[in-house]
Amino acid sequence: MAGPGDPPEGTPEGVPGGSEEEFRSVVFDESFIRAARLEEYSAQERITDHAPAVRKRVAAHAAAHRRLSVQALVMVVLIAMAFAVAIYMGVRQPYSEPVSRPADPLRMTVIPLVPQGTVPGAKTAEDLFEHSPAAEFGAGAAGMPFPAVYRTAHFSADQVRSALDVARNYLVASSLDPAVLTGEEIRPVRRLIDPDQLHQFDTGFDRPAADGRHAPSGWLVRFDPAKVTLAADEVRVHGTLKATETGSDTLEVTSNHTFVYALRPVAGDDPRASLFTVRRELHFRFDKDNLRVGQAELTVSYLQAGPLSCGADSADRLRPLLAGQSAKSGGPAGTDPYATSGPTALCGALAASAQPSPPRT
């Protein structure tokens, strides 16, 4: 029943004090209503679980969290499977790193070339070069051009080029560097040698011997500074470089070059310049570690040099015959090719055509 003064139907809507004014502060929007919907449990669920008659629907963020958890679980399973496959493949096909093989000792041969008659000379080195076979040779490193570079079965073109580059650097350091030629330095050569060969290298310079293992002339070209000096900075060079794959992990570079030097005596009555010719054949071996650090293993060194006397000791330093000089007659006495206690002496003849023929001045 309505109170005193109230209309029989209650307070009309739109009038102060009406129903709309009374519930204005508790109006819910649509999103709130959707999130608050209730879901009734079934009769069986109420009997067995003793749960309340209704349950709330899972909120949107809870569903998203569940999806992320499932994705994370799938990712963990995939990673575990990939790891298991990697272990299985490693057991089936194990990777074996190449075994580093120690470098072999360098085998070296030094053969003096004896002139036929008196060594010719001239006032200038230019006259000598222009009237000798070296007239067509390149000057310095220009006489050692690179060959065409191709990849091999197990080495890329860049690796082949690296091997050729190290070999060429070695030839420049050991045959053209003035400090090395005059005996002032050996470090430019030493730093390019495989560390396994450094003991042999150092022993040869500390205790040189003509035994095919410990002759400094097998490693580099150097003259006796007490007797000769360079008459020109220019050295004439001609020769070739060749790279060959000799194994799945080995490259070999063979160099074959002729070097022609102009020399003068340090003192004496004849100040003229003369030519000295060195023919060097070197074999370099490279594995991938050598290529990485820019060093080479030398396996063979074959050197012919003249004009020299046959009996001259050329193992330590080269002592050339200079302008106006001639070789002593005969060779070293008492050479026994059957003796195994020492090296067999070798000598060769320097062809007359290998000597310059400028007018005597």
Side-chain angles (χ1 to χ4, degrees):
M1 179 180 292
D6 290 337
E9 302 298 329
T11 305
E13 292 184 6
V15 179
S19 61
E20 182 179 347
E21 182 69 22
E22 181 179 356
F23 297 103
R24 185 179 300 276
S25 62
V26 292
V27 173
F28 303 110
D29 60 16
E30 185 179 352
S31 61
F32 179 84
I33 295 172
R34 282 201 304 268
R37 279 188 297 176
L38 302 177
E39 183 177 335
E40 185 178 357
Y41 283 92
S42 66
Q44 182 64 35
E45 287 174 331
R46 291 198 298 272
I47 294 173
T48 57
D49 297 340
H50 305 285
V54 295
R55 59 186 173 192
K56 295 181 180 180
R57 291 180 60 87
V58 178
H61 70 275
H65 179 72
R66 179 179 298 175
R67 286 196 299 271
L68 288 175
S69 299
V70 172
Q71 291 175 354
L73 179 61
V74 171
M75 184 64 69
V76 169
V77 171
L78 290 175
I79 292 173
M81 290 178 63
F83 187 68
V85 170
I87 294 176
Y88 174 76
M89 294 300 293
V91 172
R92 289 289 303 274
Q93 298 177 352
Y95 174 76
S96 58
E97 294 190 6
V99 178
S100 179
R101 178 188 54 78
D104 296 326
L106 169 62
R107 296 177 286 113
M108 55 186 71
T109 303
V110 179
I111 301 179
L113 299 178
V114 181
Q116 300 177 18
T118 302
V119 177
K123 285 185 177 180
T124 66
E126 290 75 11
D127 287 339
L128 291 169
F129 285 135
E130 292 306 316
H131 292 85
S132 75
E136 304 299 324
F137 288 7
M144 293 183 283
F146 261 64
V149 177
Y150 303 99
R151 65 164 295 131
T152 66
H154 300 93
F155 290 86
S156 68
D158 286 343
Q159 289 174 318
V160 174
R161 176 172 287 277
S162 295
L164 290 166
D165 195 48
V166 174
R168 190 171 184 266
N169 289 342
Y170 185 92
L171 289 167
V172 170
S174 63
S175 307
L176 300 179
D177 189 331
V180 172
L181 296 176
T182 56
E184 298 174 9
E185 283 282 2
I186 61 173
R187 288 176 297 178
V189 179
R190 191 180 187 276
R191 66 181 180 83
L192 295 172
I193 296 172
D194 188 297
D196 289 344
Q197 293 185 312
L198 291 180
H199 177 72
Q200 181 189 8
F201 181 90
D202 294 336
T203 301
F205 282 87
D206 292 340
R207 298 183 297 277
D211 58 0
R213 288 289 187 273
H214 301 99
S217 296
W219 296 101
L220 50 81
V221 177
R222 68 172 180 173
F223 303 106
D224 185 351
K227 296 186 178 297
V228 301
T229 185
L230 296 173
D233 293 334
E234 181 180 274
V235 179
R236 297 293 180 92
V237 186
H238 178 71
T240 60
L241 287 166
K242 181 181 178 182
T244 307
E245 181 179 309
T246 57
S248 61
D249 59 350
T250 307
L251 276 175
E252 181 172 290
V253 174
T254 303
S255 69
N256 196 332
H257 291 84
T258 299
F259 301 87
V260 184
Y261 306 88
L263 306 176
R264 290 185 190 278
V266 171
D269 297 332
D270 192 343
R272 292 179 300 160
S274 59
L275 295 186
F276 187 80
T277 304
V278 175
R279 173 76 174 270
R280 297 186 80 189
E281 181 179 334
L282 298 175
H283 292 213
F284 303 87
R285 182 182 293 159
F286 297 89
D287 59 22
K288 293 182 179 179
D289 284 339
N290 292 135
L291 297 176
R292 179 175 51 82
V293 299
Q295 294 174 326
E297 174 190 345
L298 275 71
T299 59
V300 175
S301 172
Y302 183 82
L303 180 144
Q304 296 174 300
L308 288 168
S309 290
C310 192
D313 181 11
S314 302
D316 182 15
R317 300 175 187 270
L318 299 173
R319 297 173 173 83
L321 296 172
L322 301 174
Q325 297 178 343
S326 58
K328 297 178 181 179
S329 60
T335 299
D336 182 3
Y338 293 97
T340 58
S341 58
T344 299
L346 297 173
C347 288
L350 182 64
S353 60
Q355 292 292 302
S357 55
R360 298 296 182 106
T361 57

